[in-house]
């Protein structure tokens, strides 16, 4: 199996092979339109044309191409929809969703934004199973701790800081902005 410019041989990391295999499947499924799908799901932006990159920059939404919480949320919404349609018990849904989140984190090399979003999603799902509302700030703190324990220098990464500050802003300002909009 090959991917443009990459030979998937036995000595490479299995997760890299899986990522490239999925990229090749998207190429087969979507044809020339696969570049956007690969960027949004797998973080592989090499398939996007320069024109499309420019269009995203001009529209001010280039950040959408960086795999983050939006993508984890959309992916999990689809997974949860399917699992719930099967009538599975909530604890089983939580277990399967958590394993899929962990696999997705690994597939994308445990980037902080994906890990953060996955932990927040798992905390939300756990709260639903326990019939309790997950506290967003506590969940965000947990995500930060889980990321920084094995990789403490991520704290100095601008991407890590912006990712957490953006979510912190959403959590702390959402109610105030909502009331402001309603006025």
């Amino acid at each position: 199996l090959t991917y443009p410019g990459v030979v998937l041989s036995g000595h490479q990391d299995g997760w890299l092979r899986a990522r490239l295999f999925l990229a090749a499947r998207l190429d087969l499924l979507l044809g020339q339109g696969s570049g956007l799908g690969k960027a949004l799901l797998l973080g592989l932006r090499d398939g996007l044309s320069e024109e499309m990159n420019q269009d995203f920059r001009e529209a001010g939404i280039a950040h959408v191409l960086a795999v983050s919480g939006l993508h984890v949320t959309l992916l999990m919404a689809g997974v949860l929809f399917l699992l719930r349609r099967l009538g599975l018990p909530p604890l089983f849904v939580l277990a399967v969703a958590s394993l899929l989140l962990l696999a997705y984190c690994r597939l994308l090399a445990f980037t902080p934004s994906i890990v953060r979003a996955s932990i927040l999603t798992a905390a939300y799902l756990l709260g639903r199973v326990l019939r309790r509302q997950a506290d967003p700030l506590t969940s965000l703190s947990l995500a930060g701790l889980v990321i920084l324990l094995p990789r403490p220098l991520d704290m100095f990464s601008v991407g890590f800081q912006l990712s957490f500050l953006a979510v912190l802003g959403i959590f702390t300002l959402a109610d105030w902005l909502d009331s402001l909009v309603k006025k």
Side-chain angles (χ1 to χ4, degrees):
L1 180 64
T2 62
Y3 183 74
V6 178
V7 177
L8 300 177
S9 61
H11 69 280
Q12 291 178 328
D13 176 45
W15 289 97
L16 174 61
R17 284 198 319 269
R19 192 173 182 186
L20 295 175
F21 175 81
L22 291 171
R25 295 295 114 197
L26 286 172
D27 284 338
L28 288 174
L29 184 66
L30 303 174
Q32 288 184 339
S34 68
L36 186 59
K38 290 186 296 189
L40 294 175
L41 288 174
L42 303 172
L44 299 172
R45 296 174 77 173
D46 58 337
L48 290 177
S49 68
E50 184 53 42
E51 179 183 354
M52 185 175 286
N53 274 317
Q54 184 64 31
D55 289 345
F56 272 87
R57 280 192 296 273
E58 287 176 4
I61 57 171
H63 62 280
V64 170
L65 295 175
V67 180
S68 64
L70 169 69
H71 306 92
V72 170
T73 301
L74 293 174
L75 187 63
M76 277 295 102
V79 167
L80 292 172
F81 175 78
L82 291 174
L83 291 174
R84 288 180 179 145
R85 296 280 293 180
L86 294 173
L88 301 171
L91 190 58
F92 186 78
V93 170
L94 171 67
V96 170
S98 296
L99 287 174
L100 288 173
L101 285 167
L102 182 61
Y104 193 58
C105 285
R106 178 58 187 100
L107 185 69
L108 296 178
F110 290 103
T111 55
S113 62
I114 299 299
V115 174
R116 174 195 37 79
S118 296
I119 292 169
L120 292 174
T121 302
Y124 170 77
L125 293 174
L126 179 61
R128 293 202 47 159
V129 167
L130 298 175
R131 291 187 164 92
R132 299 189 68 167
Q133 186 173 354
D135 176 52
L137 294 179
T138 303
S139 300
L140 186 62
S141 299
L142 173 66
L145 185 64
V146 168
I147 292 169
L148 291 175
L149 276 176
R151 297 169 40 169
L153 294 179
D154 277 356
M155 182 172 23
F156 302 108
S157 161
V158 173
F160 173 87
Q161 293 170 2
L162 289 175
S163 172
F164 274 81
L165 286 174
V167 175
L168 179 64
I170 290 169
F171 286 164
T172 57
L173 298 175
D175 291 337
W176 177 74
L177 289 173
D178 186 47
S179 66
L180 189 64
V181 169
K182 287 180 180 176
K183 287 181 183 179

